Amino acid sequence: MPPKSLQTGQSSQPAQMNKKRKADPKAQKFYAVRAGFKPGVYLSYAKCQEQTTGFPNALFRAFENREDAEAYAAGKYVPSATDGEEKFYAIARGREPGIYTDWESASLVLKGSKAPKFKKFPTRAEAVEYIRAHGDEAAQDAILDDLDDGVGPPTKKSRKSAPKEDSNVTKVWTDGSSRGNGKLGASAGVGVYFGESDPRNISERLRGELQTNQRAELTAILRALESVPVKQSMRIHSDSRYCISCVTEWYVGWGNNGWKTKTREDVKNKDLVIAIRAKIDERDEAGAKTYFQYVKGHSTDIGNNAADELATQGAMKGLK
């Protein structure tokens, strides 16, 4: 997993600094601050922290010699010990969202962004999954247009020449509802909304003994996947961060851990997560992409409100 610093907008170098200090604690280090309250070169990490802690998208690195440190602080490119390692920086929210293969480029488009969201991954596939789960529409458009060779976002020219999204990606909203969720006698419903009076819209009672909101939400996603041709790309809008994370991120660790949580408990709703991933993998193999877009529930999103209404109606229906 990427270091915590990459999730807060700071350089990933502190982890490398710590390793170097342990290896040779007597060696003088030069801490270069490129973006901070006062850019420059400092002789202690504490002084470096004074200039970077609390500074949005701070950039800093440690060097063995002053020359490299001064070059970095001045904005010049200075190779690092890890430059030969392949890595992918997924920018889900920022000025120019997309996937980048070097931190220098990624940091430049993050600079000045309000509340950016990004993370480093060892593989492109993981970076794509991260954007699927957390990216705004601009980020998902970026990987849609530039998925095959995608290093960074599409150029302005390719954005203009790309076909309109509506003609290439089917939009659908999903939701689940459970009356008396978590209580004996609860009844849950599934809602899938493609558009007003669309024959593909779904409002049905959740099947099975467990009538929970989470199972209803996941079932709605599964029903949406079943309703769209396997070769048709689609974007699923959901107000459940839990469901989106389940099928785009967490399932990897669960699968590697024998479908156990970190506390060695059985993963809840395993059957639905596996079924959804099977559908997504099938669509990937067919050349279609499945994107997830988080939307705020019970807000101004018309599609989400419609899916919620369908789910509520479904919860009141009797099982056939």
Side-chain angles (χ1 to χ4, degrees), residues 75-91:
K76 298 178 181 179
Y77 172 71
V78 181
S80 68
T82 59
D83 275 355
E85 300 176 6
E86 191 172 31
K87 43 195 171 288
F88 300 87
Y89 299 91
I91 300 179

Side-chain angles (χ1 to χ4, degrees), residues 51-303:
Q51 305 304 323
T52 57
T53 301
F55 188 89
N57 303 320
L59 296 175
F60 53 94
R61 275 174 59 184
F63 293 90
E64 299 291 337
N65 61 78
R66 180 179 287 275
E67 183 180 1
D68 285 348
E70 290 179 344
Y72 179 82
K76 298 178 181 179
Y77 172 71
V78 181
S80 68
T82 59
D83 275 355
E85 300 176 6
E86 191 172 31
K87 43 195 171 288
F88 300 87
Y89 299 91
I91 300 179
R93 289 200 295 271
R95 291 190 296 110
E96 289 287 342
I99 298 174
Y100 296 77
T101 56
D102 68 277
W103 174 242
E104 298 295 331
S105 298
S107 64
L108 288 176
V109 301
L110 285 169
K111 191 174 182 180
S113 299
K114 293 183 178 180
K117 191 173 183 65
F118 58 98
K119 203 170 182 179
K120 182 177 75 173
F121 296 94
T123 67
R124 178 175 175 77
E126 290 174 280
V128 169
E129 291 290 350
Y130 180 79
I131 289 183
R132 281 180 174 177
H134 303 288
D136 55 20
E137 290 206 11
Q140 296 196 27
D141 285 344
I143 61 173
L144 176 65
D145 293 339
D146 201 27
L147 193 60
D148 293 330
D149 60 10
V151 180
T155 62
K156 292 182 178 180
K157 181 178 180 181
S158 66
R159 285 178 188 266
K160 291 180 179 179
S161 61
K164 293 291 184 179
E165 178 189 312
D166 290 344
S167 64
N168 290 280
V169 180
T170 296
K171 291 184 177 181
V172 58
W173 287 258
T174 63
D175 206 354
S177 175
S178 181
R179 305 176 67 196
N181 188 44
K183 299 179 181 179
L184 186 64
S187 60
V190 174
V192 180
Y193 180 76
F194 286 90
E196 186 175 358
S197 301
D198 194 302
R200 296 170 296 179
N201 292 346
I202 296 172
S203 176
E204 62 187 27
R205 176 74 180 271
L206 176 67
R207 296 186 176 277
E209 294 183 5
L210 291 176
Q211 296 285 297
T212 67
N213 186 66
Q214 289 182 344
R215 288 192 67 80
E217 296 265 12
L218 286 167
T219 299
I221 291 175
L222 179 59
R223 296 288 283 116
L225 288 165
E226 294 171 341
S227 302
V228 176
V230 69
K231 293 184 178 181
Q232 174 63 44
S233 292
M234 63 188 296
R235 174 172 288 155
I236 299 174
H237 299 74
S238 171
D239 61 13
S240 173
R241 292 191 186 277
Y242 162 80
C243 290
I244 294 176
S245 294
C246 276
V247 301
T248 61
E249 292 185 277
W250 299 343
Y251 77 96
V252 177
W254 288 337
N256 293 335
N257 202 32
W259 287 94
K260 297 286 185 180
T261 65
K262 291 182 179 179
T263 58
R264 302 306 299 170
E265 297 178 354
D266 291 335
V267 171
K268 293 181 179 179
N269 307 313
K270 166 187 171 183
D271 57 328
L272 290 172
V273 175
I274 290 177
I276 290 171
R277 281 307 314 179
K279 286 292 182 183
I280 294 174
D281 292 343
E282 180 184 14
R283 298 171 58 76
D284 284 344
E285 291 179 4
K289 299 304 174 184
T290 307
Y291 300 97
F292 287 89
Q293 182 72 47
Y294 171 76
V295 294
K296 186 176 181 181
H298 307 289
S299 186
T300 57
D301 191 290
I302 297 176

